[in-house]
Amino acid sequence: MEEEPDTGASSRDERKAKEKAEILQREIQRKSFKLVAKILKKQESERTQEESADLLLHQDTVQELCSRQVRRNVLKRKQEEAASIPDYRGPNGVWTQLQKGRAVSSSDLSEAEPTLTHMCIRMLHEENMVHHVVSQNCDGLHLRSGLPRNTLSELHGNMFIEVCTSCSPVREFVRLFDVTERTARHRHGTGRRCAHCGGELRDTIVHFGERGTLEQPLNWRGALHAAERADVILCLGSSLKVLKKYVCLWSMNRPANRRPRLYIVNLQWTPKDDLATLKIHGKCDDVMRLLMEELNIQIPAYNKTEDPVLSLATPLRPEEEDSYTRKLIAPPAGGKDRSPDSLGQGGGTAVQGGWFGRGYSKGRKRRKKVA
């Protein structure tokens, strides 16, 4: 009796051979793309005859890479922020360019104003749909949109706030200008002095490579408390390349089915995309406008004369008038006067409880030990 051929074994062999051929083809294509991309980076006059011949041989690859570059340029233009804030971690972002050793143009963030998205977040909080906002930006736009301080954690500081850590409790001074023009990594003195104790004022910014030690405006306690209670996390316009490292914000210690649902709106890839319930590749303002229409919530326009920073600011002493060169945030001509002088505020605000916390507590303990 003749044995029937093993069709199962032969089909497996054919499938493996096909998979191997596909892997080899992808590897050849990858090497081709890498070779052509390297050649295209050179000026035409700098290419050798052999390199020019390679481009003629791989014309399909050249066309594909050129079309990708066109799409990339379109994406770069879309990434321009509505608030005139520079892009940081995008393909043409500030940090990306600095890492490549390229020069970047300066930008005065004090000229930026809260965007439609900032105003939407404020309204969602007023409707009790957003309970806490965690921001890694130092531009103070969430505060300027009217968001209450106790619902905000500015993890990397606020460019309009300087503090005196010699006072106890720590004393806060809100200014109408960027206080960071003289500061840098590990050098936080702003050049001004506390009106109460004479101690040096310092900014609240957490630079790259630094660990934030002050309690406010970072407000880590509020952020952690909100993360523990959250059932939804909405990430708007962030690459999440820094925030992903703060594991405590993502409830990663819980089983996957008990973590908050994650929704991301961003034009570029983020390291949390695979964990998201929904990822929308779009501009935040466009997405939030549609959301507010669906919820039937009116979006207020930002009004510079009602900017909370105007009423919170501490006026400079006469001898400090020339201590800054950055542009002032000021109400437009003819607007309602809410300047610090008209409000009779001065001398700074003692940092106590709630949003203010107790400031640089770890720093004070460290200095006491050294002394």
Side-chain angles (χ1 to χ4, degrees):
M1 188 174 179
E2 294 183 2
E3 293 183 2
E4 293 183 3
D6 190 353
T7 56
S10 62
S11 63
R12 281 196 301 272
D13 292 338
E14 290 175 1
R15 188 169 64 252
K16 287 182 179 179
K18 184 178 179 181
E19 290 175 354
K20 185 176 180 180
E22 290 175 351
I23 292 172
L24 290 173
Q25 181 62 31
R26 285 198 298 270
E27 183 63 21
I28 293 171
Q29 188 180 36
R30 187 186 68 82
K31 290 181 178 179
S32 173
F33 270 74
K34 189 175 181 180
L35 173 65
V36 172
K38 186 177 180 180
I39 297 172
L40 289 176
K41 287 180 180 179
K42 296 183 179 181
Q43 296 291 334
E44 194 169 343
S45 58
E46 298 176 353
R47 297 171 189 165
T48 65
Q49 291 183 349
E50 184 180 351
E51 289 173 337
S52 298
D54 285 333
L55 291 181
L56 291 173
L57 185 63
H58 301 92
Q59 288 188 4
D60 291 342
T61 305
V62 172
Q63 291 177 0
E64 174 62 23
L65 287 175
C66 289
S67 64
R68 288 184 183 182
Q69 184 61 45
V70 171
R71 292 195 296 269
R72 194 176 294 117
N73 290 336
V74 172
L75 180 60
K76 287 179 184 179
R77 288 195 297 270
K78 287 183 177 180
Q79 285 177 323
E80 293 178 356
E81 301 261 355
S84 301
I85 303 169
D87 176 30
Y88 286 90
R89 297 188 178 275
N92 201 35
V94 173
W95 309 138
T96 307
Q97 295 301 313
L98 289 175
Q99 287 173 352
K100 294 179 180 179
R102 299 175 183 172
V104 294
S105 58
S106 60
S107 178
D108 189 352
L109 294 182
S110 61
E111 296 181 358
E113 294 182 349
T115 64
L116 180 141
T117 297
H118 288 97
M119 305 309 293
C120 289
I121 293 173
R122 191 196 91 183
M123 292 306 299
L124 289 174
H125 172 263
E126 290 183 6
E127 296 292 334
N128 205 31
M129 295 182 182
V130 168
H131 295 158
H132 200 85
V133 174
V134 175
S135 174
Q136 63 183 25
N137 295 328
C138 306
D139 50 40
L141 292 180
H142 283 295
L143 179 61
R144 295 180 59 193
S145 72
L147 195 69
R149 289 177 154 188
N150 61 346
T151 64
L152 178 60
S153 293
E154 296 174 296
L155 300 185
H156 295 164
N158 187 312
M159 61 186 255
F160 295 107
I161 298 176
E162 55 186 350
V163 295
C164 175
T165 57
S166 299
C167 287
S168 181
V170 172
R171 194 171 297 275
E172 178 190 75
F173 298 82
V174 179
R175 305 298 189 187
L176 295 178
F177 55 88
D178 180 4
V179 303
T180 67
E181 61 179 308
R182 299 182 183 180
T183 66
R185 181 183 178 189
H186 302 316
R187 193 173 70 247
H188 293 273
T190 63
R192 286 174 288 278
R193 294 278 173 179
C194 177
H196 292 260
C197 72
E200 183 182 32
L201 299 183
R202 57 174 294 167
D203 69 13
T204 61
I205 306 301
V206 180
H207 293 274
F208 285 114
E210 294 182 335
R211 184 182 295 274
T213 56
L214 80 162
E215 295 174 12
Q216 302 292 344
L218 276 61
N219 193 15
W220 269 104
R221 185 178 300 174
L224 296 179
H225 181 66
E228 291 173 357
R229 302 177 61 186
D231 56 356
V232 170
I233 296 177
L234 176 59
C235 299
L236 299 172
S238 172
S239 68
L240 299 180
K241 292 178 181 178
V242 174
L243 286 178
K244 72 170 184 178
K245 299 177 182 178
Y246 302 142
V247 181
C248 53
L249 296 178
W250 306 98
S251 302
M252 298 304 290
N253 57 336
R254 301 187 204 169
N257 61 349
R258 297 185 60 189
R259 294 173 194 161
R261 296 188 301 280
L262 176 61
Y263 297 87
I264 300 174
V265 180
N266 202 43
L267 284 169
Q268 64 191 90
W269 172 89
T270 81
K272 290 288 185 180
D273 285 359
D274 292 340
L275 299 176
T277 303
L278 176 65
K279 165 66 184 295
I280 300 177
H281 292 271
K283 299 181 75 172
C284 293
D285 282 0
D286 295 340
V287 174
M288 293 303 290
R289 184 181 289 107
L290 293 173
L291 175 62
M292 299 298 274
E293 287 178 3
E294 182 67 24
L295 295 173
N296 196 27
I297 299 175
Q298 188 174 1
I299 308 171
Y302 166 71
N303 187 342
K304 199 166 190 176
T305 62
E306 297 179 355
D307 194 318
V309 172
L310 297 177
S311 61
L312 294 170
T314 302
L316 294 172
R317 291 176 292 170
E319 62 270 25
E320 297 174 329
E321 289 295 338
D322 297 327
S323 64
Y324 69 96
T325 61
R326 297 290 172 88
K327 184 177 179 181
L328 277 173
I329 299 174
K336 184 179 178 181
D337 185 9
R338 293 187 59 177
S339 64
D341 291 330
S342 68
L343 293 166
Q345 296 188 10
T349 306
V351 181
Q352 300 184 29
W355 182 83
F356 297 95
R358 280 181 277 183
Y360 290 77
S361 58
K362 294 181 181 178
R364 289 204 303 279
K365 290 177 183 177
R366 206 175 294 128
R367 284 199 296 274
K368 288 178 181 178
K369 289 180 181 178
V370 172

